[in-house]
Amino acid sequence: MASPQPTSAPARRARAPRIRLGAGLLAAAVLLLGAAPAHAVPTSSSGWHPVSGTDRVFRADNGIALSYSYYADGVDWDRPAGAVFYFDGDGTTRTEQPEGPFATRMAEAAAATNRAFVFVEAPNGSRSWRAGNTAATAEAVRQFATTNITPTTDAGVLMAGYSGGAEFLSRHLLREGLDWLPAGSGAAFIGGGGTYGQPIAEATPATDDHELTWIVGEQDGAWATDSGSWSVREAAAQAQAEYREAGYDRVRRITTAGAHTDYDIPALIAGRLAALDR
């Protein structure tokens, strides 16, 4: 079922990619990204932690290309560190402004809890998490995370999505299990995140305490979409109940003020990170 299309941000502006070294990070080795050696990334001397950089590409073994930007400024890898993966709404263009205020605030929120921020674009430049083979896209994201990012973290990972990105998380990326995420991880579904009766993989002793949170605006109700009527509130309520039934103990739903385009996403992510660390 389709989610509504959020208001798009301004189009991509011309820029030269800029690599920013995080505090305490010394470039000393390379991290090979999937099947694309041309995109080797400098890493720190203390481990395989890539330094900050924008407009990178990960090519999964199944042929899916994921563009992303990575922000590690301020992350101290000598302490327990983690990561935030963010999947924006269908049709939005914020990933195309990797040095803009939205990405900057998201990176700052992540760094405040000693986490890197990974801003992932929809596959193959489509701007839609519904485009193409969504199962293959989910497989590519899992490969990207588990071969490049999550092995370097020991403070948990937050997977977060808005609107179409939240739907991608709940219906495809996480529905078949969360065992591939490290201990202390969680997910935030903002303005979406339904399952629509699709089966949820049972929680395991390693994942039953992962924190799963649905965040819904009090005015973010029913929408008319190209697939019929869609209600954010109903989708969130249904998914929350189904994940709880599957054995996830830390499942909750939060209601905020405003409608579908009113979410202060960086502030909401900061709140979920604070809860994840409790």
Side-chain angles (χ1 to χ4, degrees):
M1 185 170 295
S3 56
Q5 302 295 321
T7 302
S8 296
R12 181 193 291 266
R13 60 184 174 81
R15 64 184 184 282
R18 184 176 69 187
I19 301 295
R20 293 169 289 179
L21 294 178
L25 294 179
L26 302 175
V30 294
L31 177 63
L32 298 180
L33 297 184
H39 294 282
V41 178
T43 64
S44 74
S45 59
S46 60
W48 297 98
H49 309 299
V51 298
S52 299
T54 62
D55 296 328
R56 293 177 177 164
V57 177
F58 173 79
R59 293 182 177 87
D61 292 342
N62 63 8
I64 299 293
L66 297 171
S67 296
Y68 71 100
S69 294
Y70 184 88
Y71 307 79
D73 289 10
V75 178
D76 180 359
W77 298 106
D78 292 327
R79 298 191 294 115
V84 177
F85 286 79
Y86 179 69
F87 306 81
D88 212 356
D90 293 337
T92 59
T93 59
R94 285 180 290 222
T95 55
E96 299 169 10
Q97 303 166 54
E99 296 175 14
F102 181 84
T104 298
R105 287 185 64 202
M106 292 287 278
E108 289 172 348
T113 60
N114 209 41
R115 287 178 169 86
F117 174 52
V118 190
F119 202 167
V120 189
E121 288 194 41
N124 301 315
S126 64
R127 293 187 183 174
S128 174
W129 293 104
R130 294 179 288 152
N133 186 332
T134 52
T137 300
E139 179 184 351
V141 171
R142 285 191 290 268
Q143 182 189 356
F144 169 52
T146 57
T147 60
N148 293 287
I149 308 296
T150 59
T152 71
T153 66
D154 49 17
V157 168
L158 179 68
M159 309 298 290
Y162 162 64
S163 193
E167 297 280 291
F168 172 70
L169 294 184
S170 61
R171 287 199 279 176
H172 305 290
L173 187 63
L174 305 178
R175 186 175 58 82
E176 296 182 1
L178 282 71
D179 292 271
W180 55 280
L181 289 171
S185 294
F189 310 91
I190 303 170
T195 55
Y196 313 103
Q198 297 181 82
I200 306 297
E202 294 291 322
T204 68
T207 63
D208 59 6
D209 65 345
H210 282 12
E211 180 166 291
L212 308 178
T213 305
W214 281 260
I215 303 171
V216 181
E218 62 183 359
Q219 299 178 49
D220 196 355
W223 292 77
T225 74
D226 55 8
S227 298
S229 179
W230 179 73
S231 169
V232 175
R233 288 197 295 267
E234 290 180 7
Q238 180 189 50
Q240 177 194 14
E242 291 177 351
Y243 272 89
R244 186 178 296 280
E245 180 67 21
Y248 293 93
D249 297 328
R250 299 178 65 189
V251 176
R252 64 181 305 190
R253 181 159 36 105
I254 297 173
T255 300
T256 64
H260 197 66
T261 57
D262 295 330
Y263 296 99
D264 185 344
I265 295 172
L268 293 172
I269 294 301
R272 299 330 308 148
L273 287 172
L276 200 64
D277 285 343
R278 284 202 290 266

mmCIF file of all heavy atoms in Angstrom, residues 12 31 37 75 80 101 120 132 135 149 169 174 185 203 212 217 220-221 224 227-228 261-263 277:
data_model
loop_
_atom_site.group_PDB
_atom_site.id
_atom_site.type_symbol
_atom_site.label_atom_id
_atom_site.label_comp_id
_atom_site.label_asym_id
_atom_site.label_seq_id
_atom_site.Cartn_x
_atom_site.Cartn_y
_atom_site.Cartn_z
ATOM 1 N N ARG A 12 18.754 19.158 -6.196
ATOM 2 C CA ARG A 12 20.185 19.030 -5.903
ATOM 3 C C ARG A 12 20.954 20.224 -6.432
ATOM 4 O O ARG A 12 20.736 20.677 -7.535
ATOM 5 C CB ARG A 12 20.700 17.742 -6.565
ATOM 6 C CG ARG A 12 22.173 17.509 -6.299
ATOM 7 C CD ARG A 12 22.696 16.422 -7.228
ATOM 8 N NE ARG A 12 22.148 15.131 -6.874
ATOM 9 C CZ ARG A 12 22.761 14.270 -6.076
ATOM 10 N NH1 ARG A 12 23.916 14.567 -5.552
ATOM 11 N NH2 ARG A 12 22.208 13.105 -5.818
ATOM 12 N N LEU A 31 38.651 0.622 3.482
ATOM 13 C CA LEU A 31 37.519 -0.288 3.650
ATOM 14 C C LEU A 31 36.913 -0.517 2.282
ATOM 15 O O LEU A 31 36.437 0.403 1.663
ATOM 16 C CB LEU A 31 36.460 0.332 4.573
ATOM 17 C CG LEU A 31 35.183 -0.485 4.767
ATOM 18 C CD1 LEU A 31 35.515 -1.810 5.440
ATOM 19 C CD2 LEU A 31 34.187 0.290 5.591
ATOM 20 N N PRO A 37 35.600 -1.788 -5.668
ATOM 21 C CA PRO A 37 36.865 -1.335 -5.106
ATOM 22 C C PRO A 37 37.161 0.125 -5.407
ATOM 23 O O PRO A 37 37.913 0.770 -4.705
ATOM 24 C CB PRO A 37 37.897 -2.252 -5.783
ATOM 25 C CG PRO A 37 37.121 -3.400 -6.327
ATOM 26 C CD PRO A 37 35.738 -2.930 -6.553
ATOM 27 N N VAL A 75 32.712 11.299 16.513
ATOM 28 C CA VAL A 75 32.572 9.948 17.058
ATOM 29 C C VAL A 75 33.920 9.479 17.591
ATOM 30 O O VAL A 75 34.934 9.514 16.898
ATOM 31 C CB VAL A 75 32.059 8.961 15.990
ATOM 32 C CG1 VAL A 75 31.960 7.545 16.562
ATOM 33 C CG2 VAL A 75 30.717 9.420 15.451
ATOM 34 N N PRO A 80 32.409 3.038 23.423
ATOM 35 C CA PRO A 80 31.322 2.337 22.737
ATOM 36 C C PRO A 80 30.640 3.258 21.722
ATOM 37 O O PRO A 80 30.191 4.347 22.060
ATOM 38 C CB PRO A 80 30.375 1.954 23.883
ATOM 39 C CG PRO A 80 31.280 1.816 25.059
ATOM 40 C CD PRO A 80 32.310 2.901 24.898
ATOM 41 N N PRO A 101 21.100 21.716 6.075
ATOM 42 C CA PRO A 101 20.754 21.771 7.499
ATOM 43 C C PRO A 101 20.125 20.493 8.033
ATOM 44 O O PRO A 101 20.348 20.125 9.185
ATOM 45 C CB PRO A 101 19.788 22.960 7.591
ATOM 46 C CG PRO A 101 19.283 23.167 6.191
ATOM 47 C CD PRO A 101 20.407 22.763 5.290
ATOM 48 N N VAL A 120 20.954 7.175 3.695
ATOM 49 C CA VAL A 120 20.859 6.260 2.558
ATOM 50 C C VAL A 120 19.796 6.748 1.574
ATOM 51 O O VAL A 120 18.664 7.045 1.953
ATOM 52 C CB VAL A 120 20.503 4.832 3.029
ATOM 53 C CG1 VAL A 120 20.625 3.848 1.859
ATOM 54 C CG2 VAL A 120 21.404 4.402 4.178
ATOM 55 N N GLY A 132 11.094 -0.886 -8.020
ATOM 56 C CA GLY A 132 11.806 -2.113 -8.327
ATOM 57 C C GLY A 132 11.487 -3.248 -7.365
ATOM 58 O O GLY A 132 10.410 -3.338 -6.791
ATOM 59 N N ALA A 135 12.396 -6.521 -2.103
ATOM 60 C CA ALA A 135 13.106 -7.569 -1.364
ATOM 61 C C ALA A 135 14.599 -7.508 -1.675
ATOM 62 O O ALA A 135 15.442 -7.669 -0.781
ATOM 63 C CB ALA A 135 12.539 -8.938 -1.709
ATOM 64 N N ILE A 149 29.301 -1.350 8.231
ATOM 65 C CA ILE A 149 29.014 -0.443 9.337
ATOM 66 C C ILE A 149 28.816 -1.184 10.647
ATOM 67 O O ILE A 149 29.539 -0.963 11.618
ATOM 68 C CB ILE A 149 27.766 0.423 9.048
ATOM 69 C CG1 ILE A 149 27.888 1.111 7.684
ATOM 70 C CG2 ILE A 149 27.579 1.453 10.158
ATOM 71 C CD1 ILE A 149 29.014 2.107 7.570
ATOM 72 N N LEU A 169 11.103 0.023 6.031
ATOM 73 C CA LEU A 169 11.651 -0.654 7.209
ATOM 74 C C LEU A 169 10.688 -1.716 7.725
ATOM 75 O O LEU A 169 11.082 -2.864 7.980
ATOM 76 C CB LEU A 169 11.929 0.363 8.318
ATOM 77 C CG LEU A 169 13.010 1.410 8.083
ATOM 78 C CD1 LEU A 169 13.197 2.244 9.344
ATOM 79 C CD2 LEU A 169 14.321 0.776 7.678
ATOM 80 N N LEU A 174 12.921 -5.072 8.064
ATOM 81 C CA LEU A 174 12.926 -5.632 9.416
ATOM 82 C C LEU A 174 11.898 -6.733 9.636
ATOM 83 O O LEU A 174 11.997 -7.469 10.629
ATOM 84 C CB LEU A 174 12.680 -4.506 10.435
ATOM 85 C CG LEU A 174 13.644 -3.322 10.363
ATOM 86 C CD1 LEU A 174 13.249 -2.264 11.391
ATOM 87 C CD2 LEU A 174 15.078 -3.766 10.588
ATOM 88 N N SER A 185 20.096 -2.462 19.672
ATOM 89 C CA SER A 185 19.612 -1.717 18.511
ATOM 90 C C SER A 185 18.117 -1.434 18.615
ATOM 91 O O SER A 185 17.440 -1.909 19.527
ATOM 92 C CB SER A 185 19.914 -2.497 17.226
ATOM 93 O OG SER A 185 21.308 -2.597 16.999
ATOM 94 N N ALA A 203 10.450 -12.803 17.326
ATOM 95 C CA ALA A 203 11.628 -12.287 18.016
ATOM 96 C C ALA A 203 12.428 -13.450 18.587
ATOM 97 O O ALA A 203 11.901 -14.532 18.855
ATOM 98 C CB ALA A 203 11.201 -11.347 19.135
ATOM 99 N N LEU A 212 11.378 -0.739 19.391
ATOM 100 C CA LEU A 212 10.679 -0.385 18.162
ATOM 101 C C LEU A 212 9.618 0.661 18.482
ATOM 102 O O LEU A 212 8.734 0.427 19.303
ATOM 103 C CB LEU A 212 10.017 -1.625 17.555
ATOM 104 C CG LEU A 212 10.916 -2.851 17.360
ATOM 105 C CD1 LEU A 212 10.114 -4.010 16.786
ATOM 106 C CD2 LEU A 212 12.093 -2.516 16.461
ATOM 107 N N GLY A 217 1.867 11.800 13.952
ATOM 108 C CA GLY A 217 1.298 13.114 14.229
ATOM 109 C C GLY A 217 -0.196 13.015 14.493
ATOM 110 O O GLY A 217 -0.894 12.243 13.827
ATOM 111 N N ASP A 220 -2.023 13.427 11.438
ATOM 112 C CA ASP A 220 -1.547 12.620 10.311
ATOM 113 C C ASP A 220 -2.458 11.404 10.181
ATOM 114 O O ASP A 220 -2.132 10.310 10.616
ATOM 115 C CB ASP A 220 -0.096 12.185 10.549
ATOM 116 C CG ASP A 220 0.571 11.687 9.282
ATOM 117 O OD1 ASP A 220 -0.116 11.601 8.251
ATOM 118 O OD2 ASP A 220 1.774 11.365 9.333
ATOM 119 N N GLY A 221 -3.613 11.606 9.579
ATOM 120 C CA GLY A 221 -4.639 10.569 9.538
ATOM 121 C C GLY A 221 -4.733 9.875 8.212
ATOM 122 O O GLY A 221 -3.755 9.368 7.674
ATOM 123 N N ALA A 224 -5.654 9.824 0.688
ATOM 124 C CA ALA A 224 -6.021 9.166 -0.563
ATOM 125 C C ALA A 224 -4.749 9.016 -1.391
ATOM 126 O O ALA A 224 -4.077 9.998 -1.695
ATOM 127 C CB ALA A 224 -7.048 9.995 -1.326
ATOM 128 N N SER A 227 -2.998 3.903 -4.366
ATOM 129 C CA SER A 227 -3.441 2.531 -4.088
ATOM 130 C C SER A 227 -4.692 2.501 -3.227
ATOM 131 O O SER A 227 -5.071 1.456 -2.711
ATOM 132 C CB SER A 227 -2.319 1.763 -3.373
ATOM 133 O OG SER A 227 -1.180 1.681 -4.189
ATOM 134 N N GLY A 228 -5.319 3.660 -3.050
ATOM 135 C CA GLY A 228 -6.517 3.725 -2.227
ATOM 136 C C GLY A 228 -6.277 4.520 -0.956
ATOM 137 O O GLY A 228 -5.274 5.205 -0.813
ATOM 138 N N THR A 261 3.679 16.526 7.172
ATOM 139 C CA THR A 261 4.905 17.249 6.832
ATOM 140 C C THR A 261 5.426 18.084 7.995
ATOM 141 O O THR A 261 6.305 18.923 7.808
ATOM 142 C CB THR A 261 4.673 18.154 5.605
ATOM 143 O OG1 THR A 261 3.598 19.054 5.885
ATOM 144 C CG2 THR A 261 4.323 17.323 4.383
ATOM 145 N N ASP A 262 4.902 17.867 9.202
ATOM 146 C CA ASP A 262 5.265 18.706 10.342
ATOM 147 C C ASP A 262 6.264 18.050 11.299
ATOM 148 O O ASP A 262 6.634 18.660 12.304
ATOM 149 C CB ASP A 262 4.013 19.084 11.142
ATOM 150 C CG ASP A 262 3.062 19.953 10.339
ATOM 151 O OD1 ASP A 262 3.541 20.709 9.469
ATOM 152 O OD2 ASP A 262 1.837 19.858 10.572
ATOM 153 N N TYR A 263 6.691 16.848 11.027
ATOM 154 C CA TYR A 263 7.595 16.165 11.949
ATOM 155 C C TYR A 263 8.961 16.857 12.006
ATOM 156 O O TYR A 263 9.551 17.143 10.955
ATOM 157 C CB TYR A 263 7.810 14.719 11.521
ATOM 158 C CG TYR A 263 6.574 13.854 11.559
ATOM 159 C CD1 TYR A 263 5.861 13.593 10.386
ATOM 160 C CD2 TYR A 263 6.119 13.298 12.744
ATOM 161 C CE1 TYR A 263 4.731 12.789 10.404
ATOM 162 C CE2 TYR A 263 4.983 12.498 12.772
ATOM 163 C CZ TYR A 263 4.295 12.249 11.596
ATOM 164 O OH TYR A 263 3.172 11.452 11.613
ATOM 165 N N ASP A 277 19.577 4.409 24.661
ATOM 166 C CA ASP A 277 20.742 4.301 25.545
ATOM 167 C C ASP A 277 20.369 4.120 27.005
ATOM 168 O O ASP A 277 21.252 3.977 27.858
ATOM 169 C CB ASP A 277 21.626 5.546 25.395
ATOM 170 C CG ASP A 277 22.411 5.524 24.089
ATOM 171 O OD1 ASP A 277 22.511 4.433 23.497
ATOM 172 O OD2 ASP A 277 22.909 6.585 23.680
#
